[in-house]
Amino acid sequence: MSCEEPTTSPTPENNITVVSSDGKEFLLDLKLTEQSETLARLISNFEYDRTDVKKDPVPLGNITSAQMQKIIEWLQHHRYYPKWEQNDIHYSTSFTFETWVEEYLNIPNNEMFELLNAANYLNIPRLFSTICRIMASRITGKSAEQIRTVLNIKTDVKNDVYTGIPIQEDSSSSEDGMSEISLSPSPPPI
Amino acid sequence: MSTFKLLSVPFLAIREVLRNLNLIELLELSQTSKKLSILISQAAKRQFEVILDCRPRCLTINTPRKSYHINLDKKVEGVMNIGSYKRHTSAGEQKMTLHWKKHWISLFYQIVRIFKCRVTAFYTGSFLSLNEFQLIMKFIMRRQSEIQQLHIRKNNIDEKFMLKILNTLAVRESLFLNSNSLPQNFHYKYGLNSISFWSCKWFTLNSLLATRSVTIELLGSSLTNEDLNVFLLGWKQGKYPRLAYLSIGSDSFNDSVPILGMMPPIRNENPNPEVIRMSFGNSVFSITGGVQIRRDDGMAAWIKFGKDDGLSPNLMKLSLIVGWKLVSKLNLIDVISELEQ
């Protein structure tokens, strides 16, 4: 999908300033912030879309300037795309991406990881979903051993391959193991 | 290039990644670590259905849109062949493989647990050992209290275990049993569409009169000609409007007592007899050379009674197909039962 980008002249009235965790300021067109549910809600709550309201800089403590730069690039490219719709249950996966997206996400995995966390924090569903599809495309068609390598998964499953009848239920996915997992893991050190 | 630590991303992102993978890819992924298998289970929103059919050695997983047929015969060591089809069609859509090095029963466990599946049908087969059968039944009974179809054709099942199965699992649609391990005084209430019992000496006239099934198949029963008359007179009067197929084999049948006023053998002696055929569910039933009779309300049926033409020529057997005549092509007549109209 490609959209023509009409030229706009940014004015203070239709911009807000966001500040990254390392203190760098970015001037963001309000039109761009519509793609981020977090920013859109914030703007709506503080009525920053009104010209008579003073706009304080918005601190984004979880996002570095490098990540913010990358995100703005995404927002600019998708400025005139239709609003993102959540797929229904008949959603069919496609691992085909437009060339711009492939180039945009041709980045080291650690950067992709940071970008995913940033997309999650700012709630940019199109970016979030695209990164997740990229990750899924790296899993598809691979065996468990290959997936372990790609995703750097240290197995906690016993390696002994017993091909006889299981004496008892295999406990590898027992619900009892729930406590071992934190559902909101903290981001890894950057 | 550095690796991507999937387990370090927020659960929301993991769920989104998993949503983009098909069931077989998720099974591959579930083998990578215990944590991931739990996350897959947590992310699985819908409950799928599993059918374990040990006759052609096939494990079927039904999702709302697709059916995955896993061939349990490993042609290549450690690899299972899978065909995925759109639901309700037999057209092949996609061939896949799954790397699975463990026993196939472990795969069954994994599928049921990971995808929170209900086992809707379990059919035993000759390749299933008694030990494997018990393991699977215990697993199913621990997880659910009912099943749609249960077909147990195994011999030598312990009486206590068989009774435990029947007391624990409520069968909803069809129950097929090779029931030689059930006690003579066994009593079971049948509210099922289809029943098929072999070696069922315990099946009495009262059992038959209480049955409201659409298809009934009894082999090795102790029913007599007199019992048949009582039941068939009730059927003629319309007491069993759902009945579409009845087949009873019994050591106690004889050819000296008439059935519905007809002396045995009851059969169409035409040298080129008609084949009456009807289907219900996945089963097809037929009678060759039956005699047409009618219920009091006019509904037609074809009956045959006498020595069996099949594998047990000394066995006396009754067959009855009830229904509307649909198609008459050469000597093959398809009928449709009232229930399917």
Side-chain angles (χ1 to χ4, degrees), chain B residues 138-175:
Chain B
K138 284 176 185 172
F139 178 77
I140 295 172
M141 287 191 288
R142 267 198 300 275
R143 302 187 69 87
Q144 57 194 66
S145 59
E146 63 176 57
I147 190 166
Q148 299 303 306
Q149 299 180 7
L150 183 62
H151 297 193
I152 302 173
R153 293 303 200 197
K154 293 210 75 64
N155 289 317
N156 307 323
I157 297 171
D158 177 64
E159 178 183 314
K160 273 187 185 170
F161 190 62
M162 187 65 118
L163 287 172
K164 188 181 173 188
I165 293 169
L166 296 175
N167 289 329
T168 309
L169 270 184
V171 185
R172 294 297 179 206
E173 278 177 18
S174 70
L175 175 65

Side-chain angles (χ1 to χ4, degrees), chain B residues 278-328:
Chain B
M278 61 89 58
S279 62
F280 185 77
N282 295 324
S283 304
V284 176
F285 306 98
S286 66
I287 295 178
T288 304
V291 172
Q292 193 178 72
I293 57 174
R294 286 190 183 275
R295 275 193 331 221
D296 293 348
D297 62 2
M299 169 63 79
W302 289 262
I303 188 171
K304 188 177 173 184
F305 182 71
K307 293 269 171 63
D308 190 15
D309 301 328
L311 296 172
S312 314
N314 293 322
L315 179 77
M316 296 277 288
K317 186 179 163 189
L318 171 106
S319 303
L320 179 81
I321 284 182
V322 187
W324 303 104
K325 190 184 283 190
L326 257 193
V327 186
S328 182

Side-chain angles (χ1 to χ4, degrees), chain A residues 27-41:
Chain A
L27 202 60
L28 263 185
D29 189 335
L30 286 183
K31 173 72 181 169
L32 296 186
T33 63
E34 288 172 7
Q35 296 175 57
S36 158
E37 290 177 18
T38 306
L39 290 177
R41 197 174 297 120

Side-chain angles (χ1 to χ4, degrees), chain A residues 86-95 106-110 112-113 116-117 120 128-129 131-133 135-158 160-175 177-178 180-181 183-188, chain B residues 1-22 24-42 45-46 64-66 74 77-78 97 99-107 109-114 116 129 131-132 135 138-140 142-143:
Chain A
Q86 184 60 39
N87 302 302
D88 65 8
I89 59 162
H90 299 302
Y91 168 72
S92 181
T93 301
S94 162
F95 293 137
N106 187 18
I107 51 177
N109 276 322
N110 58 338
M112 178 112 76
F113 179 88
L116 177 65
N117 279 318
N120 184 41
F128 181 78
S129 172
I131 298 173
C132 289
R133 267 194 301 137
M135 287 166 63
S137 72
R138 293 179 183 179
I139 295 171
T140 186
K142 292 188 171 64
S143 68
E145 284 84 358
Q146 291 167 324
I147 295 170
R148 274 191 201 115
T149 308
V150 171
L151 299 180
N152 191 21
I153 296 169
K154 286 181 183 137
T155 185
D156 47 9
V157 179
K158 284 178 189 171
D160 53 326
V161 177
Y162 176 61
T163 54
I165 304 169
I167 306 296
Q168 58 187 20
E169 287 182 38
D170 185 11
S171 62
S172 63
S173 57
S174 159
E175 289 84 350
M178 294 283 291
E180 296 174 30
I181 291 183
L183 292 185
S184 51
S186 53
Chain B
M1 184 179 263
S2 58
T3 50
F4 196 108
K5 294 180 180 176
L6 181 66
L7 283 169
S8 305
V9 304
F11 179 63
L12 199 65
I14 292 178
R15 198 171 61 185
E16 183 67 19
V17 172
L18 301 181
R19 201 167 72 98
N20 285 285
L21 299 173
N22 70 36
I24 304 307
E25 289 161 347
L26 290 173
L27 274 173
E28 290 280 7
L29 191 59
S30 74
Q31 297 178 68
T32 57
S33 81
K34 200 187 287 185
K35 286 182 180 178
L36 254 173
S37 71
I38 295 168
L39 286 172
I40 292 169
S41 180
Q42 287 175 339
K45 282 183 185 172
R46 291 181 295 274
R65 284 197 305 157
K66 279 188 178 180
K74 287 183 185 174
E77 194 56 42
T97 53
H99 300 86
W100 190 266
K101 292 177 181 169
K102 294 181 187 174
H103 194 278
W104 66 266
I105 292 182
S106 295
L107 175 63
Y109 291 165
Q110 182 89 335
I111 289 169
V112 171
R113 220 187 282 108
I114 295 270
K116 303 168 192 164
S129 72
N131 188 16
E132 289 170 332
L135 277 169
K138 284 176 185 172
F139 178 77
I140 295 172
R142 267 198 300 275
R143 302 187 69 87

Side-chain angles (χ1 to χ4, degrees), chain B residues 270-281:
Chain B
N270 185 331
N272 196 15
E274 287 176 332
V275 179
I276 309 297
R277 191 176 66 177
M278 61 89 58
S279 62
F280 185 77

Side-chain angles (χ1 to χ4, degrees), chain B residues 40-87:
Chain B
I40 292 169
S41 180
Q42 287 175 339
K45 282 183 185 172
R46 291 181 295 274
Q47 288 193 333
F48 300 141
E49 293 177 355
V50 164
I51 296 166
L52 179 56
D53 190 346
C54 295
R55 297 166 300 181
R57 304 189 188 204
C58 183
L59 188 58
T60 301
I61 311 167
N62 288 329
T63 71
R65 284 197 305 157
K66 279 188 178 180
S67 281
Y68 294 86
H69 297 259
I70 303 175
N71 186 344
L72 300 176
D73 286 320
K74 287 183 185 174
K75 289 201 173 80
V76 179
E77 194 56 42
V79 176
M80 286 184 164
N81 291 321
I82 296 152
S84 86
Y85 305 84
K86 279 185 182 163
R87 285 290 297 271

